[in-house]
């Protein structure tokens, strides 16, 4: 046997190269392959088993009885070969028959051979066959021999795949059993579909290199590009866009520059593999090592290396697109580490049924967008990439925050029944659609919806909402490939007003920046360390007046002859509101001069998202037509806790005395000034939170459409006067766990919480 694994494999691969390209039947090729391997390994036996109809069939052999070919079949898990395939492990035995799994097959004549090595042949991480060698004498195979056999097994996987003779290469991958995983509930609802990876994995098509030096050059170039990308991401702190986390980036960086990794890929190329196959080969080896590791921290690191390895593979293969660009072919459960809102909006809404994120948090914009789309999301399923394969059936339960990968028939059946029940509940909500949101003691609550795309307007009637309390105009910018001009803005705003008919629509001016970066606006791409507190929303609009003027004109013209309501996001000091309002009023004058039709009434309002504004309400309120509290941003600033940081996702509760007291102060002041106040953050769409908000004097809500039914049901079962008393009591002397106490109170008072 040659000295190194690379030279050992190279000898075999050189022999296989011409054979792979030659014509001839697969059977003839495999018959030749076993001869080549046996000769190079100086082994008495070399056999190839192929997974066909759920059994491993002896397909070609050098050394065993030829009569056993296509006759000897082992089930998954049966005998040494079945164990290797089922568990994806390598066996290296000096005495095969003493292994507990050994199953004697007399037709093969294998009793003459003592030592045995078997390697799984894997395609798309699924076993499709087994390669074995046997010797008469009792000996263990050396590491270099095993390594060489693994490389050869990769080439065989290509050969079997192109011939389409193995199970996994013909149809759906092997079922590896159901797995239930619990994560973080991000968007409620239930969905089922097939797994699709946002960043698809590349399947290696060609394993044997034509020109080793050319392959080496490709890998070097890919390494350079990958390192540039990682450096760029770290420098630009582009976390919001790509979704990569700071810590992950640090690890990425460490691996990207790891000489050991590059060297191992280089060695795999030396053995005659293509660049793609070499990366995959090293990845397989890492994966195998990972299974032996017990340290969760180290295992986590290894996952990061795998991510990076996939990235390197995509660069080498020139596959940069996401699954959205390739189009969804069936009902889909999308899997990603994280997503930007624009990336999610790229997907076909008819086919996208659910989303699973490795990271994710409750008020990140991608979550809000998914909620608006009615797509259930479960977050913080760290392991998903390693448990699910492309195409696996998956159930997503956004109500419980869990998922099931490859569910059994019984589990699917129960899930279907629960889905039907939740549809029934939706029907119950539909039944109160035209009834008022009025408490049992006669207090009227206004329920409006948050929207961002013209399709969302249809939801108004479906759920029975009273208007759009927050139209996020930046969504149009997020889904566009280039900056939407005034004309296309005008068209959208008109469509929205037309579709809303008599119902009011509150347009919020652009809130870009933060985690809503626009790829086509270089300087609006946030490069700050803390983009949520950075140059975003109104701050950016006031500095970029051309952008705001275009939007103001589009809004004013779209609302010609109708009522216009405008509000400004992220106002931190009253002068910002004044300046923004003045800009709109200038445009009114300009349009008047041009004799364009103007809105009959224009109302101006403010978002209260930055705590500093709460201190200035005495000055600001007299100038406002309405105030809208954005609890997503407000609470992140109150607690100094990033809304997109998964580790803080569950740390601070909206039902905390600090938040509720703060909001109550605003509600009281606004009421005294006779300015309507509304809550338009995600908080208002949760029944118990909405109960608390009513208890502190909030009567207007703008929420995600799917929440209108549940919130209306809650309101109609609530005595607002009693709720106020309870909240006064709780906020005067807060209990340790306000949520728990309030929940118990709601239950005692038969409040419907969904
Ligand atoms: C908010 O901050 O609560 C809000 C409604 O605005 P957005 O979620 O779009 O930042
Ligand atoms: Mg906000």
């Amino acid at each position: 046997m040659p000295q190194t694994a690379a030279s050992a494999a190279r000898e075999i691969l050189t022999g296989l190269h011409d054979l792979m390209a030659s014509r001839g039947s697969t059977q003839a090729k495999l018959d030749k392959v076993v001869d080549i391997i046996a000769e190079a390994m100086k082994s008495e036996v070399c056999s190839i088993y192929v997974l066909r109809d759920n059994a491993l069939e002896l397909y070609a052999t050098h050394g065993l009885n030829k009569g056993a070919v296509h006759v000897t079949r082992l089930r998954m898990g049966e005998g040494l070969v079945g164990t290797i395939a089922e568990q994806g492990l390598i066996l290296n035995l000096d005495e095969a028959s003493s292994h507990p799994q050994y199953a004697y097959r007399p037709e093969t004549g294998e009793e003459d051979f003592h030592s045995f090595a078997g390697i799984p042949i894997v395609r798309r991480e699924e076993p499709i066959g087994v390669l074995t060698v046997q010797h008469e004498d009792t000996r263990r195979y050396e590491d270099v021999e095993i390594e060489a056999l693994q490389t050869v097994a990769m080439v065989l996987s290509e050969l079997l795949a192109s011939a389409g003779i193995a199970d996994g290469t013909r149809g759906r991958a092997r079922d590896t059993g159901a797995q239930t995983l619990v994560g973080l509930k991000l968007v409620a609802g239930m969905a089922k579909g097939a797994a699709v990876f946002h960043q698809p994995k590349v399947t290696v098509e060609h394993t044997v290199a034509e020109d080793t030096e050319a392959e080496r050059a490709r890998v070097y170039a890919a390494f350079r590009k990958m390192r540039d990308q990682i450096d760029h991401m770290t420098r630009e702190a582009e976390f919001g866009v790509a979704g990569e986390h700071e810590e992950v980036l640090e690890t990425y960086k460490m691996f990207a520059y790891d000489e050991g990794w590059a060297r191992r890929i280089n060695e795999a190329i030396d053995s005659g593999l293509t660049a793609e196959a070499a990366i995959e080969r090293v990845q397989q080896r890492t994966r195998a090592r990972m299974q032996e590791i017990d340290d969760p921290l180290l295992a986590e690191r290894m996952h990061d290396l795998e991510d990076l390895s996939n990235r390197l593979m995509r660069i080498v293969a020139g596959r940069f697109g996401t699954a959205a660009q390739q189009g969804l072919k069936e009902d889909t459960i999308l899997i990603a580490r994280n997503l930007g809102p624009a990336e999610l909006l790229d997907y076909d809404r008819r086919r996208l049924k659910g989303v699973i994120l490795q990271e994710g948090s409750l008020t990140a914009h991608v979550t809000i967008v998914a909620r608006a789309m009615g797509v259930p999301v479960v977050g913080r399923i760290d392991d998903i990439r390693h448990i699910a394969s492309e195409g696996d059936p998956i159930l997503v339960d956004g109500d419980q925050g869990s998922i099931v990968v490859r569910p059994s028939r019984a589990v699917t059946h129960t899930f279907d029944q629960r889905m039907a029940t939740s549809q029934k509940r939706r029907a119950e909500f539909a039944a109160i659609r035209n009834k008022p949101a009025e408490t049992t003691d006669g207090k009227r609550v206004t329920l409006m919806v948050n929207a961002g795309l013209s399709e969302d307007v249809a939801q108004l009637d479906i759920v029975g909402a009273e208007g759009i309390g927050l139209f996020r105009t930046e969504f149009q910018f997020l889904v566009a490939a280039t900056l939407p001009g005034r004309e296309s803005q005008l068209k959208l705003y008109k469509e929205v007003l037309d579709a809303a008919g008599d119902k009011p629509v509150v347009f919020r001016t652009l809130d870009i920046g933060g985690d809503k970066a626009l790829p086509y606006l270089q300087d609006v791409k946030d490069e700050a360390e803390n983009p949520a507190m950075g140059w975003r929303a109104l701050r950016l609009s006031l500095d970029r007046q051309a952008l705001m003027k275009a939007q103001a004109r589009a809004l004013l013209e779209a609302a010609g002859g109708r009522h216009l309501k405008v509000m400004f996001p992220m106002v931190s000091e009253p002068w910002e509101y004044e300046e923004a309002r003045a800009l709109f009023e200038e445009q009114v004058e300009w349009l008047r001069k041009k004799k364009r039709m103007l809105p009959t009434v224009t109302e101006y309002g403010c978002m209260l998202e930055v705590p500093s504004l709460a201190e200035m309400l005495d000055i600001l309120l007299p100038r406002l037509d309405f105030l809208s509290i954005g609890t997503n941003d407000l609470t992140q600033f109150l607690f100094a806790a990033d809304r997109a940081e998964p580790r803080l996702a569950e740390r601070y509760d909206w039902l905390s005395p600090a938040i509720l007291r703060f909001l109550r102060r605003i509600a009281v002041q606004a009421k005294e000034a006779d300015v309507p106040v509304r809550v338009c953050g995600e908080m208002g769409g949760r029944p118990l939170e909405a109960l608390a908000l009513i208890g502190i004097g909030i009567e207007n809500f703008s929420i995600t459409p799917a929440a209108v039914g549940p919130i209306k049901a809650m309101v109609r079962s609530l005595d607002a006067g009693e709720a106020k008393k309870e909240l006064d009591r709780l906020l005067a002397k807060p209990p340790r766990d306000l949520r728990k106490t309030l929940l118990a109170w709601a239950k005692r008072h038969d409040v419907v919480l969904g």
Side-chain angles (χ1 to χ4, degrees):
M1 191 77 202
Q3 285 301 298
T4 66
S7 53
R10 187 162 188 88
E11 190 182 321
I12 303 173
L13 259 51
T14 312
L16 294 188
H17 177 262
D18 297 338
L19 188 68
M20 301 268 293
S22 70
R23 288 170 165 260
S25 71
T26 309
Q27 183 69 57
K29 282 183 188 174
L30 290 176
D31 288 343
K32 192 93 185 65
V33 168
V34 286
D35 290 343
I36 293 172
I37 300 171
E39 190 183 332
M41 302 278 299
K42 309 218 177 337
S43 67
E44 279 100 26
V45 176
C46 173
S47 310
I48 294 171
Y49 294 80
V50 178
L51 184 64
R52 287 162 71 79
D53 301 326
N54 287 320
L56 291 142
E57 182 177 312
L58 179 62
Y59 212 95
T61 186
H62 171 107
L64 295 181
N65 293 336
K66 294 280 185 205
V69 171
H70 302 303
V71 172
T72 299
R73 289 169 60 83
L74 293 142
R75 277 175 283 109
M76 271 292 196
E78 186 187 5
L80 298 179
V81 166
T83 305
I84 290 165
E86 188 184 60
Q87 296 182 22
L89 49 78
I90 295 166
L91 287 182
N92 181 2
L93 311 169
D94 43 17
E95 182 54 71
S97 61
S98 56
H99 191 279
Q101 293 300 111
Y102 179 77
Y104 174 55
R105 288 300 165 94
E107 72 274 12
T108 59
E110 62 185 332
E111 61 275 17
D112 295 339
F113 308 101
H114 295 278
S115 58
F116 172 101
I119 313 284
I121 302 171
V122 178
R123 182 83 177 161
R124 297 201 177 101
E125 296 177 37
E126 297 294 338
I128 56 167
V130 172
L131 167 68
T132 64
V133 288
Q134 292 170 270
H135 273 80
E136 265 174 28
D137 50 344
T138 53
R139 55 169 290 220
R140 266 188 183 258
Y141 295 88
E142 288 172 35
D143 286 350
V144 285
E145 292 173 304
I146 298 290
E147 283 271 338
L149 285 172
Q150 284 180 280
T151 303
V152 173
M154 273 199 77
V155 177
L156 288 178
S157 103
E158 181 195 337
L159 207 152
L160 298 185
S162 62
I165 54 172
D167 280 356
T169 58
R170 279 178 300 175
R172 175 120 298 173
R174 183 178 66 101
D175 189 337
T176 51
Q179 287 235 37
T180 302
L181 303 163
V182 179
L184 182 64
K185 302 178 216 176
L186 292 179
V187 178
M190 300 172 80
K192 59 181 196 179
V196 168
F197 288 93
H198 175 60
Q199 302 276 17
K201 287 187 185 163
V202 177
T203 306
V204 179
E205 300 298 344
H206 298 294
T207 49
V208 185
E210 289 288 332
D211 174 350
T212 294
E213 287 319 309
E215 297 301 318
R216 205 186 309 283
R218 288 177 66 217
V219 161
Y220 283 162
F223 256 102
R224 268 196 304 277
K225 191 157 187 172
M226 181 186 66
R227 286 171 182 165
D228 280 353
Q229 284 180 358
I230 305 291
D231 289 347
H232 179 77
M233 277 192 244
T234 319
R235 238 188 353 259
E236 306 283 318
E238 222 181 32
F239 312 133
V241 183
E244 270 104 350
H245 219 269
E246 196 165 357
E247 211 176 288
V248 173
L249 274 181
E250 276 309 311
T251 316
Y252 275 10
K253 202 165 171 165
M254 188 182 87
F255 285 129
Y257 285 93
D258 177 20
E259 287 306 324
W261 184 33
R263 183 174 35 80
R264 283 192 290 279
I265 293 178
N266 223 333
E267 282 167 8
I269 287 184
D270 281 341
S271 68
L273 293 176
T274 58
E276 286 90 342
I279 296 168
E280 168 92 3
R281 176 74 197 89
V282 173
Q283 200 169 0
Q284 276 179 0
R285 213 184 305 165
T286 314
R287 226 175 272 140
R289 213 156 286 161
M290 218 160 86
Q291 282 167 353
E292 292 158 14
I293 295 175
D294 218 7
D295 176 355
L297 208 69
L298 213 58
E300 182 65 35
R301 285 276 155 91
M302 289 297 164
H303 286 173
D304 292 337
L305 177 59
E306 183 145 4
D307 266 1
L308 205 60
S309 184
N310 289 334
R311 181 183 284 265
L312 188 66
M313 184 77 107
R314 283 197 301 275
I315 296 174
V316 151
R319 294 264 303 276
F320 302 110
T322 68
Q325 272 107 52
Q326 289 164 25
L328 303 179
K329 293 176 194 64
E330 53 188 327
D331 282 0
T332 293
I333 304 296
L334 185 68
I335 299 172
R337 176 181 276 282
N338 216 338
L339 288 171
E343 286 176 309
L344 182 66
L345 286 164
D346 248 3
Y347 283 92
D348 179 348
R349 297 174 89 174
R350 288 162 308 170
R351 297 243 161 96
L352 182 65
K353 300 294 173 193
V355 176
I356 300 169
L357 298 177
Q358 289 172 269
E359 300 184 347
S361 77
L362 210 51
T363 58
H365 279 107
V366 63
T367 311
I368 292 174
V369 172
R371 201 171 289 133
M373 288 164 76
V375 175
V377 184
V378 176
R380 319 253 5 228
I381 306 267
D382 288 352
D383 254 2
I384 184 69
R385 280 195 87 87
H386 308 99
I387 289 168
S389 302
E390 191 88 21
D392 273 352
I394 300 193
L395 308 177
V396 172
D397 187 340
D399 299 337
Q400 309 279 344
S402 63
I403 65 160
V404 189
V405 184
R406 299 177 294 271
S408 65
R409 210 176 299 163
V411 169
T412 308
H413 182 66
T414 320
F415 189 84
D416 286 345
Q417 281 179 334
R418 283 196 37 232
M419 244 171 128
T421 315
S422 99
Q423 263 151 13
K424 201 166 132 248
R425 280 198 56 229
R426 250 179 275 153
E428 284 162 16
F429 296 143
I432 54 168
R433 200 183 70 179
N434 296 320
K435 301 229 166 92
E438 192 172 302
T439 60
T440 55
D441 56 339
K443 184 168 282 301
R444 273 283 285 150
V445 170
T446 312
L447 297 183
M448 297 201 185
V449 289
N450 296 341
L453 299 168
S454 56
E455 297 96 300
D456 296 341
V457 186
Q459 291 288 330
L460 271 181
D461 284 335
I462 297 171
V463 301
E466 293 169 71
I468 298 176
L470 165 62
F471 189 87
R472 291 181 164 105
T473 59
E474 65 274 8
F475 278 19
Q476 185 188 18
F477 285 64
L478 288 170
V479 294
T482 54
L483 189 76
R486 194 175 58 83
E487 285 302 321
S488 62
Q489 293 180 49
L490 175 70
K491 183 165 167 289
L492 171 68
Y493 304 151
K494 258 199 180 137
E495 272 167 23
V496 171
L497 287 168
D498 289 346
D502 296 341
K503 295 183 174 173
V505 180
V506 181
F507 289 97
R508 177 175 75 180
T509 62
L510 282 182
D511 181 0
I512 46 181
D515 67 342
K516 292 183 268 196
L518 302 177
Y520 49 83
L521 271 191
Q522 274 306 314
D523 60 346
V524 178
K525 222 166 159 184
D526 250 293
E527 287 164 10
E529 229 167 69
N530 197 339
M533 290 192 189
W535 192 55
R536 62 173 276 210
L538 190 62
R539 301 163 178 190
L540 187 150
S541 300
L542 288 177
D543 290 352
R544 276 297 151 81
Q545 297 219 347
L547 208 62
M548 197 173 191
K549 275 183 193 160
Q551 184 172 37
R553 257 192 239 167
L555 282 169
L556 290 162
E557 280 196 67
R562 310 188 249 206
H563 196 131
L564 175 64
K565 288 170 183 275
V566 185
M567 70 177 171
F568 306 112
M570 287 284 289
V571 178
S572 312
E573 296 199 304
W575 68 264
E576 292 171 322
Y577 167 74
E578 295 297 348
E579 216 169 90
R581 183 177 172 153
L583 187 144
F584 264 73
E585 283 167 349
E586 272 166 32
Q587 299 314 306
V588 171
E589 285 317 308
W590 190 86
L591 289 169
R592 199 192 305 281
K593 274 197 216 122
K594 294 269 171 203
K595 304 221 176 331
R596 302 271 168 81
M597 196 180 346
L598 289 168
T600 48
V601 185
T602 305
E603 285 184 49
Y604 296 98
C606 242
M607 293 275 290
L608 196 149
E609 302 175 276
V610 183
S612 61
L613 204 64
E615 276 305 319
M616 305 304 289
L617 286 180
D618 54 331
I619 291 164
L620 184 69
L621 283 169
R623 297 281 300 143
L624 293 183
D625 295 310
F626 59 90
L627 183 69
S628 201
I629 308 177
T631 47
N632 302 337
D633 274 312
L634 180 64
T635 51
Q636 80 164 337
F637 298 135
L638 271 180
F639 274 129
D642 187 345
R643 68 196 255 187
E645 165 58 78
R647 284 167 301 192
L648 299 179
E650 285 185 302
R651 189 177 190 115
Y652 301 104
D653 194 346
W654 275 316
L655 291 180
S656 81
I659 289 179
L660 293 171
R661 282 183 183 185
F662 195 88
L663 294 177
R664 183 173 61 179
R665 196 150 59 91
I666 298 166
V668 167
Q669 258 187 293
K671 193 163 269 178
E672 280 168 9
D674 209 17
V675 174
V677 60
R678 179 182 308 117
V679 163
C680 64
E682 301 305 301
M683 179 180 176
R686 298 162 68 102
L688 196 62
E689 279 81 344
L691 185 167
L693 290 170
I694 292 172
I696 58 166
I698 306 272
E699 288 148 19
N700 300 309
F701 294 85
S702 188
I703 53 185
T704 187
V708 172
I711 298 295
K712 194 185 276 188
M714 184 281 290
V715 168
R716 289 172 60 81
S717 66
L718 179 74
D719 182 322
E722 289 300 318
K724 180 171 184 317
K725 275 191 224 152
E726 178 65 4
L727 261 295
D728 281 348
R729 194 180 70 79
L730 293 177
L731 295 185
K733 208 165 175 289
R736 250 186 85 83
D737 187 341
L738 200 150
R739 173 176 294 276
K740 206 164 131 204
T741 316
L742 190 61
L743 184 62
W745 180 89
K747 285 196 173 143
R748 275 202 311 281
H749 289 75
D750 293 327
V751 182
V752 177
L753 292 176

